[in-house]
Amino acid sequence: MKKLLLVFLLFPLVSFGQSQILNGIEINAPLGFKKTDNLFWEKGDDMVLVKSVKELFSDSVIKQGISQETRGSKFIKFVEQEIDGVNYFIGLNRGLNGFLIAATGVRKNEHTYFITVGINPKKYSSETIVLKNAMFNISYMINRILVF
C-alpha cells in the first residue's frame, strides 16, 4: 500500500514534461528552456511563447500583427528567415526593458501559430549574439510546429 501511495505521489512530478500538445502538435522550446506556464518557456531571462488561432492568416495580416507596437515595445524592422524553401517574416521589436523581441506567424492545417521569443541583451557580449540567439530560438520553434 505504501508503494502504491508513493507512485501516486510521484506520478504528477514525472508525468508533466517540458513539452505540451497543442492541436495535435508536440510543442517544446529549445534545450535548456523550462516550461513555466501554458505554452510558455523560460531560460533565465529569455523566454518563448506560442499562441494559436484557428484561422489561416495571410502574410500581410501576420506582418501587421508582429510589427504592432505596444505600450511595452517599439517595432525595429522585419527580417526574413528561409526554412525549407519558405520565407518567414520575423518582426523584431525592442522592449522598454531593453529585451529583443522576435515574433512570427506559422500556418499549419487550420491554424496560425504565433511565436514570440524574448532575449535579454544584458546576458550576451554583443547585439550580434543577441540577434543570433533570437533567430535560433524562433527558427527552432517554427520547425517544431511544422515537423511535429
Side-chain angles (χ1 to χ4, degrees):
M1 181 66 176
K2 287 183 182 179
K3 288 182 182 179
L4 184 61
L5 182 59
L6 182 61
V7 168
F8 283 119
L9 289 174
L10 292 176
F11 181 73
L13 298 176
V14 296
S15 66
F16 297 103
Q18 296 296 308
S19 63
Q20 184 172 346
I21 304 298
L22 175 64
N23 304 321
I25 302 169
E26 183 180 0
I27 308 289
N28 199 353
L31 186 64
F33 279 81
K34 181 180 178 183
K35 187 172 181 300
T36 57
D37 206 344
N38 185 37
L39 298 166
F40 188 85
W41 293 263
E42 293 178 290
K43 178 178 162 184
D45 293 334
D46 298 348
M47 53 76 64
V48 173
L49 170 70
V50 177
K51 293 295 175 192
S52 165
V53 179
K54 191 172 183 175
E55 185 172 342
L56 293 173
F57 291 119
S58 67
D59 283 344
S60 63
V61 171
I62 291 171
K63 284 179 79 173
Q64 180 182 358
I66 62 176
S67 64
Q68 188 73 38
E69 292 188 356
T70 68
R71 290 178 295 196
S73 67
K74 298 287 182 199
F75 177 70
I76 302 170
K77 67 179 180 177
F78 285 113
V79 294
E80 284 188 56
Q81 179 71 40
E82 182 187 330
I83 298 175
D84 293 334
V86 177
N87 286 331
Y88 292 90
F89 294 98
I90 299 168
L92 298 179
N93 296 270
R94 180 69 64 186
L96 296 181
N97 59 0
F99 277 49
L100 177 66
I101 303 165
T104 194
V106 177
R107 292 181 293 267
K108 183 175 181 179
N109 301 329
E110 302 173 347
H111 295 83
T112 302
Y113 297 87
F114 288 96
I115 304 165
T116 305
V117 302
I119 303 289
N120 181 356
K122 295 176 184 170
K123 289 178 31 180
Y124 303 98
S125 60
S126 72
E127 191 67 25
T128 303
I129 295 172
V130 171
L131 181 58
K132 180 180 173 186
N133 279 304
M135 295 304 287
F136 172 83
N137 290 344
I138 207 155
S139 297
Y140 177 94
M141 296 306 294
I142 291 169
N143 279 311
R144 193 77 199 175
I145 288 169
L146 293 175
V147 174
F148 290 92

